[in-house]
Amino acid sequence: MTYRNLSACVADLERHKHLVRIDAEVDANLEMAAIQRRAYRAGAPAMLFTRVKGCRFPMLANLFGTMERTKFIFRDTLRAVEGIFRLKLDPFDAFRHPLRYTGVPRALWSMLPKSVSDGPVLRHRCAISDLPRLISWPMDGGGYVTLPQVYTESPDAPGPMQSNIGMYRVQLDGPDYEKDREVGLHYQIHRGIGYHHAQALRRGEPLKVNIFVGGPPAMTLAAVMPLPEGLAEILFAGAMAGFRIPMVRQSHRTGGLPILAEADFCICGTIAPYQKPEGPFGDHLGYYSLAHDFPVLRVDAVHHRPDAIWPFTTVGRPPQEDTVFGDFIHQLTAALVPQVFAGVREIHAVDAAGVHPLLLAIGSERYVPYAGERQPQELITCGMALLGSTQTSLSKYVLIMAHEDAPSMSTHDFPGFFTHMLERTDFTRDLHFVTRTTIDTLDYTGISLNQGSKLVWAAAGPRKRQLADTLPGDLPLDARSEDGGLAAAGGSFGDPRLFGRGIVVLRGPKHTARRDEHDPAMHALAARLAHAHGLDGLPLFVVVDDPAFTAANWENFLWVVFTRSDPATDMYGAGEFTHCKHWGCTGPLVIDARLKSFHAPALETDPDVERRVDALAAPGGPLHGYL
C-alpha cells in the first residue's frame, strides 16, 4: 500500500497493530521525548498522542522505530527501488531476469514530481507558537522540529530537478528569536542548502525556504538520504512513495516556492541577512551541541491541513530511532559502494560511535601484487577517496583493512576487525593524518567549530604481533617524584583493564589542558611506556575518565573513544617521532579519550520526568505493556 499522506499511513499502521493511540495528556516538554526514547528501546509500536498539553495538534512518535515497521511502510515500493539500484550496477540483469524488474518502469515514472494548483496543506493557517513545542533534553534552547523536510531550489536553476530536501533541525523559539516571526535554521557543512544559499548570496537575492512536516513518509526518508550532489531528493521520494509527488506550484500563497500538497504543515519563509544564536540542542552524538550563530528564517506563513499530525523523533546517544534510518539506507545502498569508491568493498559508519566519528572499511590492496611484503598502498588511496566525497567525507577516523588478508571479515564484527588491524599495523608507517581540516559541525573534539583533524589508519600484509590476552603486573603508569609523590607533569593514571585482545583501557587525571594543545601528562605516560618491557602484545592504550564504563562492552568503548578524541591532538605514542612531516611511533599507540575541558556536556535525563514516565508505564497506566 502506498501512502499519499501521513493520515493514511497512521490509519493503516493502526489496522495492522503497528500503532497505538495514547489518549492521556502528555507534555511535549521533555516527557514525550522520554517516552519516545523508551518506546524505541522497547521495540514498541508507533504512538499517536491525541492530547498534547497546551497544543491542539496530535503528535506522532516512533514511526520508524523498528526495521520491520519501516519495511512495512515501504513494502509496495521497496523491491522496485532495489531494482533501480541493481540495474545501476548491471543494466543487463533486466534481460536475464526480467521478472525481478516489473515494478521499475512505474518507479521511474513516479520519480517525476507533479505540479498541482492546490492541496490540503493550504486549507488552514496558524502561528509558529501554535505548533507543538517539543523539548527533548533539559538544556535544549527551545522547541524544535526534529523531522523537518527543508526544501530549497537552486537560484541559478530554479525548479524541482535542482532542488534540495534536507533534515536540518529548526528551532521554533528561544530568547533571541522574534516570536512567530523568526525561527533558527541549523544546517551543517556539506549540506545541499549551503550551495543554494551561496548562489543566492552571489546573486544578491534572498533564499526562499519551505519547511514541510509530515506528508508522505517517503518524503521524510528522502530528507535523510545521502544522494549524490545534483540528484534531487524529491525524485527518490517519488520512487519510494510509488507515485509522483504532488507539489503546489509557485504562487503568492506558496511564498514563491512549491509546497508539498499533502504535507501536514508547511512553514514558508526567507533566510534573513543576519544570524542569531541557535541551540543548545541534545544531539545524536550523545552530547549537546552548544549555542552558535546560524541562519535565521523570517517566517512569512504557516500552513496546515485539516487533519494535521505532527511527527517527531528524538536523538541522543546511539542507538535511537535515527539508527533505523541508517540501517535501512545501508541495506538499500550497500551494493553501490564499490561503484562509488573504486577499490572499496564495504563500509560501515559506526552508529555506536555517533556515525561520523568512525568509519570502518574493507578495500582491495592490488597495487604491487608481486611485492615480497605487502603494505598499504591502494588502501591509502581508498581512504582518501572516502574522505573526499559524499557523506563519508565527514568521517573523522577511517580504519581500512585489506580484503585479501581476511576475505570473510565484516566491518560489523568489531572484535574481529580491531584484532585484525592491531595485529597488522606498522605504527611507524600506517597512520596518515589530515590536520586543520573541516569536521562534522556537531563534533566538539576539534580545535574549533567545524575544524579539526582526520586519520586514515590502514593495515595490510602479514601479522606483525601476537596480541596479549593478559595484563603484565608492572605497567609503569605513574611518574613518581624523588619523595615518592606523584610528579606533576606525569599525572595520576591507574585502574588498567584489558578490553579485547591487545587493548588496555585505563583511568587518567581530569583533563585541564586548553583546546588545540597536547597534554604534558599524556606525553609523560607515552614516554614511560616506551621504556616498559613486555608490551609487544598490547599495541593500543586508551586513557578515559571511567574505565569500568568504557570497558563494559563494545558500544561503550566505541562511543567513548571516538566521540571524545581528535586524531591529531589526542593521539600519542611510545617512541613517537616526526620525520619529513610524517608522524609515527614504535608503539604502543596511546589515545586520550577523556572528556576535555572544552567539550560539550553529555546528555542526561531529568529524574522527575523519568519518574512521571515510570508512572505512565506502570500497571494500569496508558503506556503499560509498551515501555
Side-chain angles (χ1 to χ4, degrees):
M1 182 176 181
T2 58
Y3 306 118
R4 295 190 172 270
N5 52 56
L6 186 57
S7 294
C9 177
V10 165
D12 189 52
L13 291 177
E14 190 170 22
R15 279 194 300 272
H16 288 87
K17 311 299 183 186
H18 282 294
L19 178 142
V20 294
R21 291 176 182 264
I22 307 299
D23 294 325
E25 184 178 76
V26 178
D27 196 339
N29 183 6
L30 298 179
E31 195 172 273
M32 203 169 287
I35 294 171
Q36 193 277 330
R37 290 191 292 270
R38 291 201 200 184
Y40 167 75
R41 290 197 299 269
M47 293 182 173
L48 182 66
F49 298 95
T50 61
R51 291 178 56 205
V52 179
K53 184 177 181 180
C55 181
R56 68 179 187 266
F57 298 111
M59 297 178 69
L60 176 64
N62 211 35
L63 178 61
F64 301 100
T66 68
M67 183 63 73
E68 176 192 8
R69 185 158 57 253
T70 302
K71 289 184 174 180
F72 179 84
I73 290 171
F74 299 111
R75 63 193 181 279
D76 288 344
T77 58
L78 186 55
R79 183 178 178 185
V81 173
E82 290 172 339
I84 292 173
F85 289 148
R86 279 198 303 270
L87 290 178
K88 181 173 174 59
L89 291 172
D90 182 6
F92 292 101
D93 196 51
F95 297 101
R96 294 190 293 266
H97 305 100
L99 294 180
R100 289 181 181 174
Y101 302 100
T102 54
V104 168
R106 179 186 174 93
L108 293 173
W109 171 249
S110 298
M111 292 175 74
L112 298 174
K114 182 180 180 179
S115 179
V116 297
S117 60
D118 201 358
V121 69
L122 294 175
R123 296 290 187 273
H124 300 291
R125 295 180 67 158
C126 67
I128 290 292
S129 55
D130 295 323
L131 300 175
R133 187 173 183 267
L134 178 75
I135 296 178
S136 299
W137 295 96
M139 288 173 54
D140 281 1
Y144 276 88
V145 189
T146 56
L147 284 179
Q149 306 150 37
V150 182
Y151 181 87
T152 56
E153 291 185 355
S154 166
D156 289 345
M161 303 308 287
Q162 295 297 319
S163 66
N164 178 76
I165 303 172
M167 192 167 287
Y168 318 126
R169 72 177 188 242
V170 178
Q171 184 171 346
L172 294 175
D173 57 18
D176 295 294
Y177 297 119
E178 183 182 344
K179 183 179 179 180
D180 291 329
R181 293 292 296 130
E182 295 177 333
V183 298
L185 185 58
H186 177 112
Y187 72 80
Q188 302 153 41
I189 62 171
H190 203 291
R191 299 296 191 266
I193 189 176
Y195 307 137
H196 290 172
H197 197 180
Q199 291 174 16
L201 292 173
R202 174 172 47 79
R203 296 166 65 94
E205 301 173 357
L207 182 66
K208 294 288 186 179
V209 177
N210 282 347
I211 301 169
F212 312 135
V213 181
M219 287 288 287
T220 302
L221 178 65
V224 297
M225 188 72 183
L227 298 174
E229 186 179 347
L231 180 60
E233 288 81 5
I234 199 167
L235 307 183
F236 175 78
M240 288 301 300
F243 56 86
R244 297 174 64 191
I245 300 295
M247 300 291 287
V248 181
R249 65 181 64 98
Q250 297 178 15
S251 70
H252 68 281
R253 293 192 303 163
T254 68
L257 275 183
I259 285 182
L260 177 62
E262 294 286 350
D264 287 72
F265 299 86
C266 178
I267 302 171
C268 301
T270 305
I271 292 185
Y274 52 83
Q275 297 81 45
K276 287 189 175 183
E278 185 272 350
F281 178 75
D283 232 314
H284 72 267
L285 267 68
Y287 309 87
Y288 285 97
S289 55
L290 303 179
H292 299 281
D293 285 349
F294 276 95
V296 173
L297 188 74
R298 293 286 298 178
V299 177
D300 299 321
V302 182
H303 303 276
H304 70 89
R305 62 186 299 135
D307 54 351
I309 297 171
W310 186 269
F312 75 94
T313 190
T314 57
V315 293
R317 181 192 163 185
Q320 301 288 347
E321 186 179 7
D322 55 348
T323 300
V324 179
F325 275 135
D327 291 344
F328 185 75
I329 290 169
H330 175 76
Q331 290 183 20
L332 271 179
T333 61
L336 297 177
V337 167
Q339 190 174 72
V340 177
F341 303 106
V344 179
R345 304 176 67 97
E346 181 184 337
I347 59 174
H348 180 194
V350 179
D351 183 69
V355 181
H356 294 317
L358 177 62
L359 182 74
L360 305 183
I362 297 175
S364 299
E365 187 51 70
R366 304 163 295 186
Y367 276 7
V368 191
Y370 50 81
E373 180 179 341
R374 296 167 59 256
Q375 66 183 55
Q377 292 177 302
E378 184 177 4
L379 290 182
I380 299 171
T381 302
C382 293
M384 294 301 177
L386 289 166
L387 291 178
S389 64
T390 74
Q391 292 296 304
T392 62
S393 66
L394 293 172
S395 303
K396 181 168 61 174
Y397 287 88
V398 177
L399 276 60
I400 184 166
M401 57 161 280
H403 166 76
E404 294 82 359
D405 293 333
S408 63
M409 182 62 69
S410 167
T411 56
H412 292 265
D413 174 9
F414 298 136
F417 191 95
F418 275 81
T419 293
H420 181 97
M421 294 290 295
L422 292 172
E423 286 177 337
R424 288 166 172 79
T425 299
D426 180 344
F427 290 103
T428 68
R429 179 192 67 200
D430 294 339
L431 304 177
H432 306 275
F433 293 85
V434 182
T435 61
R436 256 50 180 184
T437 188
T438 52
I439 61 172
D440 183 16
T441 304
L442 306 180
D443 192 328
Y444 280 82
T445 61
I447 61 176
S448 66
L449 187 68
N450 294 326
Q451 190 177 24
S453 67
K454 299 175 184 289
L455 173 72
V456 175
W457 176 344
R463 288 187 180 89
K464 295 175 173 57
R465 61 186 64 85
Q466 182 73 32
L467 300 183
D469 52 15
T470 58
L471 286 176
D474 55 348
L475 283 174
L477 300 182
D478 280 330
R480 297 282 172 176
S481 60
E482 292 183 2
D483 62 0
L486 289 174
S492 175
F493 297 88
D495 194 11
R497 297 163 184 250
L498 192 72
F499 176 78
R501 296 176 57 213
I503 303 174
V504 179
V505 174
L506 67 149
R507 186 195 67 249
K510 183 178 179 180
H511 183 271
T512 57
R514 292 180 299 180
R515 185 188 290 272
D516 195 24
E517 67 178 26
H518 283 140
D519 188 335
M522 294 297 301
H523 277 303
L525 173 65
R528 290 193 296 278
L529 294 176
H531 296 96
H533 300 288
L535 299 186
D536 291 345
L538 297 171
L540 179 60
F541 280 65
V542 181
V543 178
V544 300
D545 298 302
D546 186 343
F549 174 83
T550 305
N553 52 55
W554 274 97
E555 288 72 21
N556 288 4
F557 178 82
L558 294 170
W559 182 62
V560 169
V561 174
F562 296 101
T563 66
R564 299 184 181 183
S565 63
D566 171 78
T569 307
D570 295 323
M571 297 186 82
Y572 304 80
E576 65 182 27
F577 64 88
T578 302
H579 177 72
C580 295
K581 301 183 178 66
H582 172 78
W583 185 93
C585 65
T586 56
L589 182 70
V590 183
I591 300 178
D592 181 1
R594 296 171 294 169
L595 276 173
K596 308 303 187 294
S597 56
F598 49 84
H599 283 184
L603 300 179
E604 296 182 358
T605 57
D606 184 312
D608 292 336
V609 172
E610 295 300 320
R611 281 190 288 270
R612 293 204 299 270
V613 176
D614 287 339
L616 292 171
L623 299 177
H624 181 62
Y626 299 118
L627 305 187

